Amino acid sequence: MAWVSEASAHPAGPPHHPAARPAPPDPAALGRLTPLAALRALDASPRGLDEQQAQLRLERYGENTVPEARPPGRPLRFARSLRDPFSVVLLVLGLVSAAVAAWATAAVITVLVLVSSVLRSTGEHRAERAAAGLRELVAATATVRRRPAPGADPRVREIPVDQLVPGDVVLLAPGDVVPADIRLLRATGLTLHQPALTGESAPVARAAVDDPPPGELPQQPQLCLQGGSVATGSGTGVVLATGADTFRARQSRAVPCRPAAGTVFHRALGGITWTLIRLMLCAAVLVLAAHTLLRGPALDTVPLAVAVAVALTPEMLPVVVNVSLARGAVRLARERSVIVRRLPALHDLGAMRVLCTDKTGTLTRDRPVVHRALDPAGRPAPEVLRWAAVNAHWTLQLAELPAPDALDEALLRAAGPGRETGVAAVPFDPVRRRATAVVREPEHPGTHTVVVKGAVEDVLGCCSHLRTAAGEQLELDEVRRARVLARAGREADAGLRLLAVATARRPGRAPTTAERGLTLLGFVALRDDLAPGAGEALAALARHGVAVKVLTGDHPATAARACRDLGLDPGPPDAVVTGAQTDALDDAELAELARSRTVFARCTPAHKARVVQVLRAAGQPTGFLGDGVNDLPALRAADVGICPRGAAEVTRAGADVVLTGKDLTAIDRALSCGRETTRNITTYLRVVLSSNLGNVLAMLVAGLLLPFLPMLPLQVLVQNLCFDAAQLAFAFDRAGPAPGGGPAAPSRPAGLRPRAFTSFVLRFGALNAAADLATFAALGWLLSQDSAAGLDAHAVFHAGWFTENLLTQALVIWLLRPGSARRLPLPVALAVAGLTAVGLLLPLSPLAGALGLTATLPGAYYPLLGGVLALYAGALCFTRARYRSAISIL
């Protein structure tokens, strides 16, 4: 695809409107052209663009910035929060309440929905603002070759990265971040770090080849893609694409967004919602049917049926959910450890059973460290490391490299430069694959020592002898050469990167860098540098019952070695699954394999996303931890996407959770907070649903036995609202000691599981119904006594059940909360005390008449009520102790 010249494309006048932006050039097609053909297609020159050309192209194609998705405004966030399933159910109930003229109920429900939506939208807005503060530029400036005017000599200068345009000629040096997609015109010893693009931790060689081999863009040797960084050497290239047209930006756009309804949180809430809807419909129909059969059609039965439906609905659930999630997210942000960008992700963290993670840049740093130094026989040899460091130091000093590469930095950190004096040096390049330094030793005047380090095969080709541990020099014949190569192969198979080191002492005054007749001293083995806190984070995940899967683009042996160093067992060598093996399996076979395997190597972004998808499809709530652009598909395929502090900008934008702490141990805090938040939500649900179901069951039985309504609709709503208000305390609950002195946070994943809820609610709801029926029996016996003559049986029954209802609900809040029942946190203690006070005092207050509680309860009722409550509390404690595990992880 050729570009027309700016002279014809841009006549005098205002710049083109953005809507008229022409189609950008295809970087993949341009990158495969020869350097000369690429320059012609871009209407560029090796001398660089002139300033007028650059300005016209900037106006035409835009700044070199990745366009960010505009965050939704507050009104849109608020509207989206109304799509919460329980908010929809509550709004429908509010409409039904209004239809039967229950205006107070409709008003309360509307207020609850509005408060919940405001809390949720505000929390997500704050999280988005905090995440925006983490964004960093890909690079600050770029070195380009430009001409002040047409025909002028080119000048090398630095410009802001966002001012780069296609056709610019960019100069690359060690330490530079690649600012755009570039086609090399010239390169000398150029290697790039690009783990964020490919997942490989080792630098890759780059050269200005005319006939590039087939393959994906990140593997093309003539291309330097935006986001990589120069490890060694230098290069000059022409910019093929900028901004939204770069490979990095296109990868980000190509990844579909995960629908919110597909997360663990929304699936669980959806299941619970439909369970409640079925219960509500059944209860309302049963109430209408029972009263119609016994007393005939009556209009006053309709408000009671609506009240029963409302009673079965956890009206405060949106408030409890959003307050709990928002408080957890705020607490993590205040600790400066985690930013939760999507509030439901906090629940998904607590429910997570599998964490898939990238290796390079996440579990390990993008740099190696020295593991050990060996002689040719494999015995420890510190002298080998010393000579390797001498080579690294003087190569850097004498070859005038701007900065050492990652291997030289590792050597210099492990050993000092020594007392030798540098004389000459030849730097490393990808063709020779070795570096040479000539030094003068103080103890050997009149001689020079040639020190060579590099790839094993290339250094070994320059050697004629090897040195033993005893200092003896032996001829390097074919047998010894084969043994040395076998030793090097075993070290490489163990996941170590090897540098061979050889020396030769030359007499004479004139230094020589001739790389022949050398004596092999041994090897320096290097491994990946572990990320701070990575081992502790993996150990914490194991304690929490979360399985870890490592998905990396690195070599299988390198990945397995890093796992062993982190305390994660990768299994035998053949247990590592490669990308090729993944392609050969269907989804069912891959899911079965993923359950038992830990390491997946040579993974492309598509491989990572597929492993995550099959684990989720198998019913395993799955998270993904990654830092690179190549991790975006897996991040968005997971239930919860997590990225570390130093992740690529587009990766942070696509993650649900951003770790802002200095190490990965922040995962432990986020996981514990997520489980505590889920515990608060499940506590509310099991308490409110079991209590409300018990009340409804008791109301159905009483409706069949009594000739009057056991409780007026207004009384049902008032006691239900009092109960809901008291349960708001669960949103402010903090984990205390578990029953039996165990840990407060569950050691297993915690989530909202509808089937477990149904079993729990039926079990404890039956207990609540039994307590209500026992109260009915006590009231019936009391009203049958002579001392009750003259009392209004209806009013006494209403007041007695109203009081018992609130007191039993206070017991449920107290005894069904996970943790010690003897040490209640202040919010829960106040809720229990307040509910008890309302239950005892409201029927005696001036408000009793407005609620239809017109009778004063006889004094004999209270001892009977105390006996019922004591039996109920004993039954709750017995059942709670028997099903403690269900309560702790529900």
Side-chain angles (χ1 to χ4, degrees), residues 257-281:
C257 293
R258 175 185 62 246
T263 66
V264 176
F265 178 77
H266 289 88
R267 291 199 303 271
L269 272 186
I272 294 171
T273 299
W274 285 110
T275 300
L276 288 178
I277 289 174
R278 287 191 288 268
L279 285 174
M280 288 162 46
L281 293 176

PDB file of all heavy atoms in Angstrom, residues 257-281:
ATOM      1  N   CYS A 257     -14.381  -7.703  24.571  1.00  0.00           N
ATOM      2  CA  CYS A 257     -14.594  -7.455  25.992  1.00  0.00           C
ATOM      3  C   CYS A 257     -15.456  -8.574  26.582  1.00  0.00           C
ATOM      4  O   CYS A 257     -16.339  -9.096  25.916  1.00  0.00           O
ATOM      5  CB  CYS A 257     -15.280  -6.110  26.212  1.00  0.00           C
ATOM      6  SG  CYS A 257     -14.244  -4.705  25.760  1.00  0.00           S
ATOM      7  N   ARG A 258     -15.153  -8.945  27.802  1.00  0.00           N
ATOM      8  CA  ARG A 258     -15.937  -9.965  28.485  1.00  0.00           C
ATOM      9  C   ARG A 258     -17.259  -9.357  28.909  1.00  0.00           C
ATOM     10  O   ARG A 258     -17.287  -8.314  29.552  1.00  0.00           O
ATOM     11  CB  ARG A 258     -15.170 -10.450  29.720  1.00  0.00           C
ATOM     12  CG  ARG A 258     -15.959 -11.430  30.554  1.00  0.00           C
ATOM     13  CD  ARG A 258     -15.222 -11.803  31.828  1.00  0.00           C
ATOM     14  NE  ARG A 258     -15.026 -10.640  32.660  1.00  0.00           N
ATOM     15  CZ  ARG A 258     -13.845 -10.126  32.921  1.00  0.00           C
ATOM     16  NH1 ARG A 258     -12.762 -10.656  32.423  1.00  0.00           N
ATOM     17  NH2 ARG A 258     -13.725  -9.053  33.682  1.00  0.00           N
ATOM     18  N   PRO A 259     -18.381  -9.982  28.569  1.00  0.00           N
ATOM     19  CA  PRO A 259     -19.672  -9.460  29.039  1.00  0.00           C
ATOM     20  C   PRO A 259     -19.768  -9.585  30.541  1.00  0.00           C
ATOM     21  O   PRO A 259     -19.393 -10.595  31.124  1.00  0.00           O
ATOM     22  CB  PRO A 259     -20.695 -10.363  28.326  1.00  0.00           C
ATOM     23  CG  PRO A 259     -19.942 -11.611  27.988  1.00  0.00           C
ATOM     24  CD  PRO A 259     -18.514 -11.191  27.764  1.00  0.00           C
ATOM     25  N   ALA A 260     -20.268  -8.537  31.187  1.00  0.00           N
ATOM     26  CA  ALA A 260     -20.346  -8.547  32.644  1.00  0.00           C
ATOM     27  C   ALA A 260     -21.193  -9.707  33.146  1.00  0.00           C
ATOM     28  O   ALA A 260     -20.939 -10.267  34.196  1.00  0.00           O
ATOM     29  CB  ALA A 260     -20.918  -7.212  33.146  1.00  0.00           C
ATOM     30  N   ALA A 261     -22.232 -10.078  32.400  1.00  0.00           N
ATOM     31  CA  ALA A 261     -23.115 -11.139  32.854  1.00  0.00           C
ATOM     32  C   ALA A 261     -22.418 -12.491  32.878  1.00  0.00           C
ATOM     33  O   ALA A 261     -22.957 -13.455  33.418  1.00  0.00           O
ATOM     34  CB  ALA A 261     -24.351 -11.210  31.952  1.00  0.00           C
ATOM     35  N   GLY A 262     -21.209 -12.587  32.305  1.00  0.00           N
ATOM     36  CA  GLY A 262     -20.518 -13.866  32.271  1.00  0.00           C
ATOM     37  C   GLY A 262     -19.633 -14.117  33.465  1.00  0.00           C
ATOM     38  O   GLY A 262     -19.025 -15.177  33.569  1.00  0.00           O
ATOM     39  N   THR A 263     -19.527 -13.185  34.412  1.00  0.00           N
ATOM     40  CA  THR A 263     -18.649 -13.384  35.552  1.00  0.00           C
ATOM     41  C   THR A 263     -19.317 -14.248  36.615  1.00  0.00           C
ATOM     42  O   THR A 263     -20.526 -14.455  36.610  1.00  0.00           O
ATOM     43  CB  THR A 263     -18.257 -12.039  36.180  1.00  0.00           C
ATOM     44  OG1 THR A 263     -19.428 -11.422  36.735  1.00  0.00           O
ATOM     45  CG2 THR A 263     -17.652 -11.111  35.135  1.00  0.00           C
ATOM     46  N   VAL A 264     -18.495 -14.758  37.532  1.00  0.00           N
ATOM     47  CA  VAL A 264     -19.013 -15.590  38.623  1.00  0.00           C
ATOM     48  C   VAL A 264     -20.074 -14.843  39.412  1.00  0.00           C
ATOM     49  O   VAL A 264     -21.126 -15.386  39.757  1.00  0.00           O
ATOM     50  CB  VAL A 264     -17.848 -16.011  39.547  1.00  0.00           C
ATOM     51  CG1 VAL A 264     -18.373 -16.796  40.741  1.00  0.00           C
ATOM     52  CG2 VAL A 264     -16.835 -16.833  38.783  1.00  0.00           C
ATOM     53  N   PHE A 265     -19.799 -13.589  39.707  1.00  0.00           N
ATOM     54  CA  PHE A 265     -20.707 -12.785  40.527  1.00  0.00           C
ATOM     55  C   PHE A 265     -22.087 -12.690  39.891  1.00  0.00           C
ATOM     56  O   PHE A 265     -23.110 -12.937  40.544  1.00  0.00           O
ATOM     57  CB  PHE A 265     -20.104 -11.398  40.716  1.00  0.00           C
ATOM     58  CG  PHE A 265     -20.961 -10.457  41.511  1.00  0.00           C
ATOM     59  CD1 PHE A 265     -21.033 -10.568  42.883  1.00  0.00           C
ATOM     60  CD2 PHE A 265     -21.689  -9.454  40.887  1.00  0.00           C
ATOM     61  CE1 PHE A 265     -21.824  -9.699  43.632  1.00  0.00           C
ATOM     62  CE2 PHE A 265     -22.476  -8.589  41.616  1.00  0.00           C
ATOM     63  CZ  PHE A 265     -22.534  -8.712  42.993  1.00  0.00           C
ATOM     64  N   HIS A 266     -22.140 -12.329  38.629  1.00  0.00           N
ATOM     65  CA  HIS A 266     -23.432 -12.130  37.980  1.00  0.00           C
ATOM     66  C   HIS A 266     -24.140 -13.453  37.716  1.00  0.00           C
ATOM     67  O   HIS A 266     -25.372 -13.520  37.781  1.00  0.00           O
ATOM     68  CB  HIS A 266     -23.249 -11.345  36.681  1.00  0.00           C
ATOM     69  CG  HIS A 266     -22.901  -9.911  36.905  1.00  0.00           C
ATOM     70  ND1 HIS A 266     -21.598  -9.475  37.045  1.00  0.00           N
ATOM     71  CD2 HIS A 266     -23.674  -8.815  37.055  1.00  0.00           C
ATOM     72  CE1 HIS A 266     -21.597  -8.171  37.249  1.00  0.00           C
ATOM     73  NE2 HIS A 266     -22.831  -7.744  37.262  1.00  0.00           N
ATOM     74  N   ARG A 267     -23.400 -14.522  37.449  1.00  0.00           N
ATOM     75  CA  ARG A 267     -24.056 -15.826  37.292  1.00  0.00           C
ATOM     76  C   ARG A 267     -24.683 -16.273  38.611  1.00  0.00           C
ATOM     77  O   ARG A 267     -25.800 -16.794  38.644  1.00  0.00           O
ATOM     78  CB  ARG A 267     -23.037 -16.871  36.810  1.00  0.00           C
ATOM     79  CG  ARG A 267     -22.558 -16.668  35.387  1.00  0.00           C
ATOM     80  CD  ARG A 267     -21.959 -17.952  34.836  1.00  0.00           C
ATOM     81  NE  ARG A 267     -20.869 -18.454  35.663  1.00  0.00           N
ATOM     82  CZ  ARG A 267     -19.591 -18.120  35.517  1.00  0.00           C
ATOM     83  NH1 ARG A 267     -19.247 -17.264  34.567  1.00  0.00           N
ATOM     84  NH2 ARG A 267     -18.661 -18.630  36.287  1.00  0.00           N
ATOM     85  N   ALA A 268     -23.950 -16.081  39.708  1.00  0.00           N
ATOM     86  CA  ALA A 268     -24.471 -16.489  41.010  1.00  0.00           C
ATOM     87  C   ALA A 268     -25.694 -15.653  41.392  1.00  0.00           C
ATOM     88  O   ALA A 268     -26.714 -16.189  41.852  1.00  0.00           O
ATOM     89  CB  ALA A 268     -23.381 -16.356  42.069  1.00  0.00           C
ATOM     90  N   LEU A 269     -25.607 -14.326  41.225  1.00  0.00           N
ATOM     91  CA  LEU A 269     -26.750 -13.481  41.557  1.00  0.00           C
ATOM     92  C   LEU A 269     -27.957 -13.823  40.689  1.00  0.00           C
ATOM     93  O   LEU A 269     -29.098 -13.807  41.148  1.00  0.00           O
ATOM     94  CB  LEU A 269     -26.387 -12.013  41.375  1.00  0.00           C
ATOM     95  CG  LEU A 269     -25.768 -11.302  42.577  1.00  0.00           C
ATOM     96  CD1 LEU A 269     -25.608  -9.825  42.285  1.00  0.00           C
ATOM     97  CD2 LEU A 269     -26.589 -11.496  43.830  1.00  0.00           C
ATOM     98  N   GLY A 270     -27.676 -14.141  39.412  1.00  0.00           N
ATOM     99  CA  GLY A 270     -28.779 -14.524  38.539  1.00  0.00           C
ATOM    100  C   GLY A 270     -29.466 -15.792  39.016  1.00  0.00           C
ATOM    101  O   GLY A 270     -30.695 -15.892  39.021  1.00  0.00           O
ATOM    102  N   GLY A 271     -28.663 -16.785  39.451  1.00  0.00           N
ATOM    103  CA  GLY A 271     -29.252 -18.025  39.956  1.00  0.00           C
ATOM    104  C   GLY A 271     -30.075 -17.798  41.208  1.00  0.00           C
ATOM    105  O   GLY A 271     -31.185 -18.343  41.348  1.00  0.00           O
ATOM    106  N   ILE A 272     -29.532 -16.998  42.126  1.00  0.00           N
ATOM    107  CA  ILE A 272     -30.265 -16.711  43.357  1.00  0.00           C
ATOM    108  C   ILE A 272     -31.531 -15.921  43.045  1.00  0.00           C
ATOM    109  O   ILE A 272     -32.592 -16.139  43.642  1.00  0.00           O
ATOM    110  CB  ILE A 272     -29.364 -15.952  44.349  1.00  0.00           C
ATOM    111  CG1 ILE A 272     -28.220 -16.853  44.801  1.00  0.00           C
ATOM    112  CG2 ILE A 272     -30.155 -15.461  45.549  1.00  0.00           C
ATOM    113  CD1 ILE A 272     -27.156 -16.136  45.601  1.00  0.00           C
ATOM    114  N   THR A 273     -31.431 -14.990  42.109  1.00  0.00           N
ATOM    115  CA  THR A 273     -32.598 -14.181  41.742  1.00  0.00           C
ATOM    116  C   THR A 273     -33.743 -15.049  41.241  1.00  0.00           C
ATOM    117  O   THR A 273     -34.896 -14.919  41.674  1.00  0.00           O
ATOM    118  CB  THR A 273     -32.212 -13.156  40.674  1.00  0.00           C
ATOM    119  OG1 THR A 273     -31.216 -12.287  41.204  1.00  0.00           O
ATOM    120  CG2 THR A 273     -33.406 -12.343  40.241  1.00  0.00           C
ATOM    121  N   TRP A 274     -33.443 -15.985  40.331  1.00  0.00           N
ATOM    122  CA  TRP A 274     -34.514 -16.826  39.788  1.00  0.00           C
ATOM    123  C   TRP A 274     -35.058 -17.770  40.846  1.00  0.00           C
ATOM    124  O   TRP A 274     -36.264 -18.087  40.844  1.00  0.00           O
ATOM    125  CB  TRP A 274     -34.011 -17.605  38.572  1.00  0.00           C
ATOM    126  CG  TRP A 274     -33.891 -16.736  37.365  1.00  0.00           C
ATOM    127  CD1 TRP A 274     -32.754 -16.312  36.748  1.00  0.00           C
ATOM    128  CD2 TRP A 274     -34.973 -16.132  36.653  1.00  0.00           C
ATOM    129  NE1 TRP A 274     -33.056 -15.493  35.693  1.00  0.00           N
ATOM    130  CE2 TRP A 274     -34.404 -15.362  35.604  1.00  0.00           C
ATOM    131  CE3 TRP A 274     -36.359 -16.166  36.800  1.00  0.00           C
ATOM    132  CZ2 TRP A 274     -35.194 -14.648  34.712  1.00  0.00           C
ATOM    133  CZ3 TRP A 274     -37.140 -15.452  35.903  1.00  0.00           C
ATOM    134  CH2 TRP A 274     -36.558 -14.698  34.873  1.00  0.00           C
ATOM    135  N   THR A 275     -34.216 -18.220  41.766  1.00  0.00           N
ATOM    136  CA  THR A 275     -34.718 -19.035  42.876  1.00  0.00           C
ATOM    137  C   THR A 275     -35.707 -18.246  43.716  1.00  0.00           C
ATOM    138  O   THR A 275     -36.779 -18.744  44.090  1.00  0.00           O
ATOM    139  CB  THR A 275     -33.541 -19.513  43.747  1.00  0.00           C
ATOM    140  OG1 THR A 275     -32.642 -20.297  42.951  1.00  0.00           O
ATOM    141  CG2 THR A 275     -34.043 -20.353  44.921  1.00  0.00           C
ATOM    142  N   LEU A 276     -35.354 -16.992  44.012  1.00  0.00           N
ATOM    143  CA  LEU A 276     -36.243 -16.147  44.808  1.00  0.00           C
ATOM    144  C   LEU A 276     -37.528 -15.819  44.057  1.00  0.00           C
ATOM    145  O   LEU A 276     -38.617 -15.764  44.653  1.00  0.00           O
ATOM    146  CB  LEU A 276     -35.530 -14.861  45.201  1.00  0.00           C
ATOM    147  CG  LEU A 276     -34.430 -15.003  46.262  1.00  0.00           C
ATOM    148  CD1 LEU A 276     -33.766 -13.670  46.516  1.00  0.00           C
ATOM    149  CD2 LEU A 276     -35.015 -15.546  47.551  1.00  0.00           C
ATOM    150  N   ILE A 277     -37.409 -15.580  42.774  1.00  0.00           N
ATOM    151  CA  ILE A 277     -38.620 -15.268  41.993  1.00  0.00           C
ATOM    152  C   ILE A 277     -39.584 -16.443  42.042  1.00  0.00           C
ATOM    153  O   ILE A 277     -40.803 -16.273  42.212  1.00  0.00           O
ATOM    154  CB  ILE A 277     -38.240 -14.915  40.540  1.00  0.00           C
ATOM    155  CG1 ILE A 277     -37.539 -13.548  40.491  1.00  0.00           C
ATOM    156  CG2 ILE A 277     -39.468 -14.921  39.651  1.00  0.00           C
ATOM    157  CD1 ILE A 277     -37.001 -13.187  39.130  1.00  0.00           C
ATOM    158  N   ARG A 278     -39.070 -17.659  41.903  1.00  0.00           N
ATOM    159  CA  ARG A 278     -39.946 -18.840  41.978  1.00  0.00           C
ATOM    160  C   ARG A 278     -40.599 -18.957  43.357  1.00  0.00           C
ATOM    161  O   ARG A 278     -41.785 -19.262  43.483  1.00  0.00           O
ATOM    162  CB  ARG A 278     -39.146 -20.099  41.637  1.00  0.00           C
ATOM    163  CG  ARG A 278     -38.794 -20.220  40.156  1.00  0.00           C
ATOM    164  CD  ARG A 278     -38.242 -21.577  39.840  1.00  0.00           C
ATOM    165  NE  ARG A 278     -36.894 -21.753  40.363  1.00  0.00           N
ATOM    166  CZ  ARG A 278     -35.784 -21.492  39.675  1.00  0.00           C
ATOM    167  NH1 ARG A 278     -35.885 -21.039  38.431  1.00  0.00           N
ATOM    168  NH2 ARG A 278     -34.601 -21.691  40.207  1.00  0.00           N
ATOM    169  N   LEU A 279     -39.780 -18.726  44.416  1.00  0.00           N
ATOM    170  CA  LEU A 279     -40.335 -18.780  45.768  1.00  0.00           C
ATOM    171  C   LEU A 279     -41.402 -17.701  45.978  1.00  0.00           C
ATOM    172  O   LEU A 279     -42.455 -17.945  46.589  1.00  0.00           O
ATOM    173  CB  LEU A 279     -39.212 -18.626  46.799  1.00  0.00           C
ATOM    174  CG  LEU A 279     -38.306 -19.836  47.021  1.00  0.00           C
ATOM    175  CD1 LEU A 279     -37.161 -19.468  47.955  1.00  0.00           C
ATOM    176  CD2 LEU A 279     -39.096 -21.003  47.580  1.00  0.00           C
ATOM    177  N   MET A 280     -41.125 -16.478  45.480  1.00  0.00           N
ATOM    178  CA  MET A 280     -42.080 -15.384  45.638  1.00  0.00           C
ATOM    179  C   MET A 280     -43.403 -15.707  44.953  1.00  0.00           C
ATOM    180  O   MET A 280     -44.488 -15.521  45.536  1.00  0.00           O
ATOM    181  CB  MET A 280     -41.501 -14.097  45.046  1.00  0.00           C
ATOM    182  CG  MET A 280     -40.375 -13.480  45.843  1.00  0.00           C
ATOM    183  SD  MET A 280     -39.430 -12.322  44.837  1.00  0.00           S
ATOM    184  CE  MET A 280     -40.719 -11.382  44.056  1.00  0.00           C
ATOM    185  N   LEU A 281     -43.319 -16.193  43.722  1.00  0.00           N
ATOM    186  CA  LEU A 281     -44.549 -16.495  42.985  1.00  0.00           C
ATOM    187  C   LEU A 281     -45.332 -17.609  43.666  1.00  0.00           C
ATOM    188  O   LEU A 281     -46.562 -17.531  43.817  1.00  0.00           O
ATOM    189  CB  LEU A 281     -44.210 -16.876  41.546  1.00  0.00           C
ATOM    190  CG  LEU A 281     -43.638 -15.752  40.660  1.00  0.00           C
ATOM    191  CD1 LEU A 281     -43.251 -16.301  39.294  1.00  0.00           C
ATOM    192  CD2 LEU A 281     -44.659 -14.629  40.509  1.00  0.00           C
TER     193      LEU A 281
END
